[in-house]
Amino acid sequence: MRVGMGYDVHRLVEGRKLVMGGVEIPYEKGLLGHSDADVILHAIIDALLGAAALGDIGKHFPDNDDRYKGISSIELLKQVGKLIDSNNYIIENIDGTIVAQEPKMSPYIDDMRKNIADALGLDINQVNVKATTEEGLGFTGTCEGISSQAIASISPIFNYVYDNSTDVLNPTSKLESTDVKDCDKCTGCSGCQKK
């Protein structure tokens, strides 16, 4: 298993929509950024890229590239999911934290989890999102910005074998890549390189 962590922060400004976890949240301010500035998704993207040792969000989606201007971060997350797949990893779980004094995030958490799970082809129970305040302290406490942290764990596809009797991937111990059978049936897998 490999683990990565991500951190992101964006400034709150007037005249922008507040998008968090792919959900538009009613608020008088939004987050400033080249894309939709979805701070929790950016932290999750960095956590996934970090776990796979594939750099960071700026390497893959630079803020001086007009292709990503105003883009939905859900679309960026989908691209990262494909990148994780193409490097023969399976996402185990994601845990993210939003740090914001306001607005209240709790009414939107389940929708965020669903958006993240759908974008990555995961079950919703593999995705956790939570929110906290900083009791009025720091830039988040004074509503100047919102930050997020995330952790993601991934495993190499070679740690799994396709079980024809249940149609699911099952974790195994001490599985060698040469032992993987029927690998072409694994959904979301680009194929075992050593088959």
Side-chain angles (χ1 to χ4, degrees), residues 65-104:
D65 190 330
D66 285 341
R67 290 179 298 169
Y68 308 118
K69 187 171 178 61
I71 194 170
S72 165
S73 295
I74 286 286
E75 294 306 313
L76 302 181
L77 184 62
K78 288 178 182 176
Q79 290 185 44
V80 169
K82 290 176 183 174
L83 186 60
I84 296 296
D85 270 356
S86 69
N87 280 272
N88 294 314
Y89 292 108
I90 290 176
I91 300 168
E92 298 283 359
N93 78 299
I94 292 168
D95 185 24
T97 302
I98 301 165
V99 183
Q101 193 65 33
E102 54 182 56
K104 289 286 185 192

Side-chain angles (χ1 to χ4, degrees), residues 126-184:
Q126 293 175 274
V127 179
N128 190 55
V129 176
K130 51 200 181 295
T132 188
T133 70
E134 288 190 307
E135 303 294 330
L137 300 173
F139 68 89
T140 61
T142 56
C143 300
E144 295 174 68
I146 295 176
S147 69
S148 287
Q149 301 174 25
I151 275 188
S153 63
I154 63 175
S155 291
I157 187 73
F158 305 122
N159 290 353
Y160 286 78
V161 64
Y162 189 83
D163 184 342
N164 287 319
S165 65
T166 61
D167 288 336
V168 295
L169 286 170
N170 290 324
T172 61
S173 60
K174 299 182 181 175
L175 177 70
E176 298 297 328
S177 60
T178 53
D179 294 335
V180 176
K181 306 294 186 221
D182 297 322
C183 181
D184 58 326

Side-chain angles (χ1 to χ4, degrees), residues 17-86:
K17 294 177 180 178
L18 179 60
V19 181
M20 198 70 56
V23 178
E24 189 175 328
I25 298 173
Y27 192 58
E28 67 259 20
K29 293 181 180 179
L31 293 171
L32 182 64
H34 186 65
S35 65
D36 63 3
D38 191 327
V39 71
I40 185 64
L41 293 189
H42 292 185
I44 289 169
I45 286 169
D46 266 351
L48 288 168
L49 291 171
L54 294 172
D56 61 18
I57 192 170
K59 174 182 176 180
H60 296 275
F61 312 109
D63 63 7
N64 58 2
D65 190 330
D66 285 341
R67 290 179 298 169
Y68 308 118
K69 187 171 178 61
I71 194 170
S72 165
S73 295
I74 286 286
E75 294 306 313
L76 302 181
L77 184 62
K78 288 178 182 176
Q79 290 185 44
V80 169
K82 290 176 183 174
L83 186 60
I84 296 296
D85 270 356
S86 69

